[in-house]
Amino acid sequence: MTIPSPSYDGFTLFATLGIIAAMALAYLVVVPQRIDPKEPPMLRPRIPFVGHLVGLISLAHSYHRLQYNKYQMPICTLPILGGKLYVINSPEFAQSAILNRSLSFEPYVTDFIRRMTDVGDKAMKIYEDPAFFSRWLKIVYSSLTGPHLLAVNSAALRVVVNELNELPVAGVDVPDLFLWARDLISLASTTALFGDKNPWKLDPRLLDAYWDYERDIVAMMINIAPSITAPKAFRGRALMQKALTEYLASEYDAGSDVPKFTRDRMELEREFGMTPSEMAGLEVAVIHGAISNTIPTAYWMLVYVFSNPDLVAKLRAEAETVVTETSRAGPGEEGRREVSIDISRLEQNCPLLFSTLRETQRFISNAVLNRKIMADTTISDGKNSYLLKQGFDLQISHGVTHNLESVWGSNVRGFDSERFLDVAKPEDGLAVQPGAYTPFGAGKHICPGRFFASGEIMGFMVPLLLGFELTDQKGGAITVPDATIPWITTPIAKPVAGSNLGARLHRRVGWENVVWNISQ
Ligand code: HEM
């Protein structure tokens, strides 16, 4: 995979650079640059003080890959302004860091909520109260597994198949496949989380509202007059918060169609005195977690699969094993068939589909895991040990570890859908060499939504594979488009806008009159 060129919105980038330059100047005056010999070796920038900062701003996480390819340092300290950033590029150091309880992801989540949402100080205090937070996190981690997981995945995929059932038999031209997948899966995910009264279902403007918000995430994070520096994102957030406030004020979250993941959190938030508007503010952050990565992952999987006719044929054979014909045509419905998908059998029956998803994630997750050093800590790769100092930031670059030839072999730069077939069944996202493969993070902070996202993406592929032909607009195989460089806050790239994103979706011969169902 080549490192793509940047495609930032000019105004946002200009504003970001201006603000960072001002902060840099202030910081330079007060904080001198220094490093302890026990800390990871220093990687000096070409341009003193700001070189790494400029690199990170212009290339985001690809910068770590560029530096690694040049200097091959398994761990290093980047001096930035008067401070420093530790960077890990090796699975061994990554694993040592992941297992260390003094390194935490929590401060970033809290900071994200404070800057990116409009929850207000009172609700923020509740969120940071350990009595609230420990229970909130427990719900998040326990309610997207087992039967609860099956319920959310079924609800999401019901939305997907209902949309597919509506497509005309002759097929449709899709002007932009990314937008098509984006809107369909955004609707599916939000309906799975909020039930039938999902605000995104009732007001389709919220789809653009979320993606406007996501697009200007850096300006929102900087949080200086966001209504001026990121007006679309600011309006988008307000629209989402208003719609969610109405939903919560009506207590639609108590409905039996709403999953435990949402119901129990809302109940807890009310118990601690949050108002519907405060709960809605917090929920915007949860929605961001739930869809910002799922959608680009699903999109890239779609194009990697449908750009390869041999892979499509193999995946179709697997997908056949998770569907059952449930009813035949009645009088006047010649040719109509009802076909149900059993998503509980997906992982077991479709190893190649699962392997393709995992390879898609290896290929496209070009980012970092962030950890704050909560106390002076030593980490080791078994040969060397280094001190990480309290208060500084650490980035574990899976953009590097996902691309190491020493881990993945000589075909590391190619997309190999069978790469994960022979790997022992992964537990909690950890397979192959520990620390080498972390698209969902790892350790204490591993993504609680990983099974939901994987099930949703694999389930989304099944009716598309079996029931449809997805081609470019001339009827040939889909071409994989170039990828943008994602912002430093976003791990997964999007396709370059305006590149060849058009597609044609039409029903397969023999599957013209199928009505799709989800069996659970
Ligand atoms: C393909 C889709 C997804 C990807 C690639 C992804 C990736 C990640 C990553 C890398 C982390 C940080 C983990 C770490 O630093 O060790 C994370 C955390 C998190 N994710 Fe996901 N995620 C996805 C989908 C979801 C979904 C669907 C939800 C919820 C429904 C979700 C909710 C969360 C939450 C709440 C956290 C914070 C966990 C904590 O604070 O300990 N994610 N995710």
Side-chain angles (χ1 to χ4, degrees):
M1 188 161 79
T2 52
I3 294 174
S5 59
S7 69
Y8 297 137
D9 155 338
F11 173 73
T12 312
L13 187 58
F14 179 76
T16 312
L17 283 171
I19 291 162
I20 289 175
M23 284 164 58
L25 213 62
Y27 204 44
L28 277 175
V29 175
V30 289
V31 189
Q33 207 176 11
R34 53 182 171 265
I35 183 168
D36 186 315
K38 284 186 259 156
E39 290 179 75
M42 172 102 86
L43 177 56
R44 291 195 182 280
R46 280 221 186 122
I47 310 165
F49 297 110
V50 293
H52 292 313
L53 186 63
V54 172
L56 284 167
I57 290 173
S58 55
L59 287 172
H61 302 303
S62 301
Y63 184 66
H64 292 320
R65 269 178 70 191
L66 217 62
Q67 296 295 297
Y68 182 76
N69 290 343
K70 262 193 204 162
Y71 303 107
Q72 308 276 310
M73 293 170 83
I75 185 167
C76 54
T77 303
L78 306 189
I80 296 182
L81 309 177
K84 55 197 158 198
L85 172 68
Y86 302 121
V87 177
I88 286 180
N89 294 315
S90 87
E92 293 83 2
F93 278 118
Q95 187 62 2
S96 175
I98 285 162
L99 295 178
N100 195 303
R101 310 288 283 188
S102 301
L103 310 185
S104 180
F105 180 54
E106 252 159 59
Y108 303 102
V109 179
T110 308
D111 196 46
F112 179 89
I113 292 172
R114 191 190 308 280
R115 291 165 179 274
M116 286 295 295
T117 70
D118 194 14
V119 291
D121 290 344
K122 180 194 136 222
M124 213 53 225
K125 258 201 183 134
I126 297 173
Y127 178 80
E128 289 179 273
D129 174 354
F132 170 85
F133 184 70
S134 57
R135 283 174 63 190
W136 195 85
L137 208 59
K138 200 167 169 198
I139 296 170
V140 166
Y141 274 94
S142 64
S143 59
L144 289 173
T145 55
H148 311 300
L149 173 70
L150 204 56
V152 280
N153 273 334
S154 303
L157 293 171
R158 228 163 257 131
V159 174
V160 170
V161 297
N162 286 347
E163 291 284 319
L164 295 178
N165 288 340
E166 293 296 314
L167 291 179
V169 172
V172 285
D173 279 319
V174 182
D176 185 323
L177 189 60
F178 179 75
L179 287 186
W180 179 80
R182 185 197 85 167
D183 288 352
L184 179 54
I185 301 172
S186 301
L187 188 66
S189 301
T190 50
T191 304
L193 297 181
F194 296 117
D196 277 346
K197 295 282 193 320
N198 170 22
W200 274 259
K201 189 172 152 191
L202 303 181
D203 182 356
R205 286 178 311 158
L206 297 184
L207 290 172
D208 279 341
Y210 169 74
W211 291 99
D212 285 345
Y213 168 79
E214 193 265 358
R215 191 174 57 89
D216 258 338
I217 208 156
V218 171
M220 294 293 281
M221 282 292 279
I222 290 168
N223 202 18
I224 298 177
S227 62
I228 298 165
T229 54
K232 269 188 150 182
F234 189 78
R235 280 197 301 274
R237 183 179 72 182
L239 199 67
M240 288 189 283
Q241 187 161 349
K242 183 169 176 283
L244 282 164
T245 301
E246 284 161 16
Y247 169 93
L248 292 163
S250 307
E251 300 194 10
Y252 290 142
D253 54 285
S256 59
D257 55 336
V258 176
K260 190 174 167 60
F261 175 76
T262 305
R263 240 184 12 237
D264 287 6
R265 281 182 307 109
M266 298 306 117
E267 202 179 306
L268 181 72
E269 289 171 17
R270 284 197 185 91
E271 183 188 320
F272 275 76
M274 283 196 198
T275 64
S277 166
E278 290 165 341
M279 294 156 72
L282 192 52
E283 216 47 23
V284 168
V286 174
I287 285 299
H288 175 71
I291 64 179
S292 60
N293 293 320
T294 306
I295 279 133
T297 304
Y299 169 77
W300 290 113
M301 171 135 174
L302 195 62
V303 293
Y304 283 122
V305 167
F306 282 96
S307 63
N308 181 341
D310 288 345
L311 178 58
V312 169
K314 286 183 194 161
L315 291 176
R316 279 180 174 153
E318 269 192 2
E320 295 248 14
T321 68
V322 296
V323 300
T324 323
E325 191 159 331
T326 47
S327 79
R328 290 199 163 271
E333 296 178 321
E334 282 70 27
R336 182 182 183 277
R337 293 193 288 148
E338 239 175 73
V339 174
S340 277
I341 306 170
D342 182 352
I343 56 170
S344 67
R345 286 191 284 159
L346 269 175
E347 205 178 306
Q348 197 183 2
N349 286 22
C350 302
L352 182 59
L353 186 66
F354 192 37
S355 172
T356 307
L357 170 61
R358 302 190 75 213
E359 175 69 346
T360 302
Q361 292 191 277
R362 181 190 75 82
F363 219 65
I364 60 170
S365 303
N366 183 21
V368 295
L369 305 182
N370 288 294
R371 294 291 184 267
K372 178 71 92 186
I373 318 295
M374 308 304 283
D376 281 5
T377 302
T378 299
I379 61 166
S380 165
D381 68 350
K383 290 179 280 192
N384 297 303
S385 299
Y386 294 105
L387 171 70
L388 307 178
K389 290 211 164 173
Q390 180 179 353
F392 289 98
D393 298 293
L394 165 73
Q395 297 196 324
I396 302 169
S397 172
H398 56 211
V400 172
T401 59
H402 287 185
N403 288 283
L404 288 173
E405 200 173 323
S406 55
V407 174
W408 304 101
S410 56
N411 69 347
V412 64
R413 305 223 187 290
F415 185 93
D416 177 2
S417 57
E418 298 184 8
R419 190 182 300 278
F420 288 90
L421 267 185
D422 298 330
V423 170
K425 192 174 178 318
E427 289 303 334
D428 287 348
L430 287 175
V432 292
Q433 181 176 348
Y437 181 71
T438 52
F440 285 118
K444 184 180 167 212
H445 298 288
I446 192 165
C447 173
R450 63 200 182 282
F451 302 123
F452 174 31
S454 308
E456 189 176 13
I457 296 168
M458 294 212 297
F460 163 71
M461 293 298 296
V462 168
L464 283 171
L465 280 162
L466 288 180
F468 295 85
E469 302 287 356
L470 179 65
T471 64
D472 69 12
Q473 285 176 317
K474 291 184 186 143
I478 293 276
T479 311
V480 177
D482 286 338
T484 58
I485 288 188
W487 275 119
I488 208 141
T489 47
T490 314
I492 303 172
K494 302 198 179 61
V496 171
S499 56
N500 184 16
L501 303 183
R504 179 150 182 79
L505 186 62
H506 63 95
R507 288 177 186 250
R508 277 176 82 200
V509 175
W511 297 77
E512 292 90 342
N513 296 313
V514 166
V515 178
W516 293 93
N517 267 326
I518 303 298
S519 60
Q520 276 74 26

